[in-house]
Amino acid sequence: RPPRSTLSSSSAASDVYKRQTLDTIVENIRAAMLATLRDVAADASVSLEDAALLSVSLASAYLDLCRLLGIAPPQPVEEALDW
């Protein structure tokens, strides 16, 4: 890939669009993760231990996804899970 200084404006715009798309995907995954955790927490048949294990597993997967995509999480996982 050529250095950024030689990229056309349309290529730079494409990079911005791709970054915004990745950010949206990560935010949608975070929202789905939180909805799942809230549903599990509201389910009286799920033990606190199982809910905590799910929470840790989803948080780890979320951080792995952000690292894989090369982006910072839109919000710290600890904050996202603090309801």
Side-chain angles (χ1 to χ4, degrees), residues 24-54:
T24 299
I25 290 169
V26 170
E27 181 56 31
N28 289 341
I29 289 170
R30 186 186 73 82
M33 175 188 77
L34 291 175
T36 299
L37 290 173
R38 286 188 182 105
D39 289 346
V40 168
D43 185 343
S45 68
V46 176
S47 72
L48 185 58
E49 183 179 338
D50 286 344
L53 182 58
L54 176 63

Side-chain angles (χ1 to χ4, degrees), residues 6-81:
T6 62
L7 291 177
S8 70
S9 60
S10 64
S11 180
S14 175
D15 287 349
V16 169
Y17 175 77
K18 288 175 190 172
R19 174 61 51 196
Q20 289 171 339
T21 301
L22 288 177
D23 290 346
T24 299
I25 290 169
V26 170
E27 181 56 31
N28 289 341
I29 289 170
R30 186 186 73 82
M33 175 188 77
L34 291 175
T36 299
L37 290 173
R38 286 188 182 105
D39 289 346
V40 168
D43 185 343
S45 68
V46 176
S47 72
L48 185 58
E49 183 179 338
D50 286 344
L53 182 58
L54 176 63
S55 173
V56 170
S57 297
L58 286 175
S60 177
Y62 172 69
L63 290 175
D64 287 345
L65 174 65
C66 290
R67 276 193 288 273
L68 179 68
L69 295 175
I71 62 175
Q75 177 181 15
V77 174
E78 297 79 15
E79 267 183 45
L81 297 177

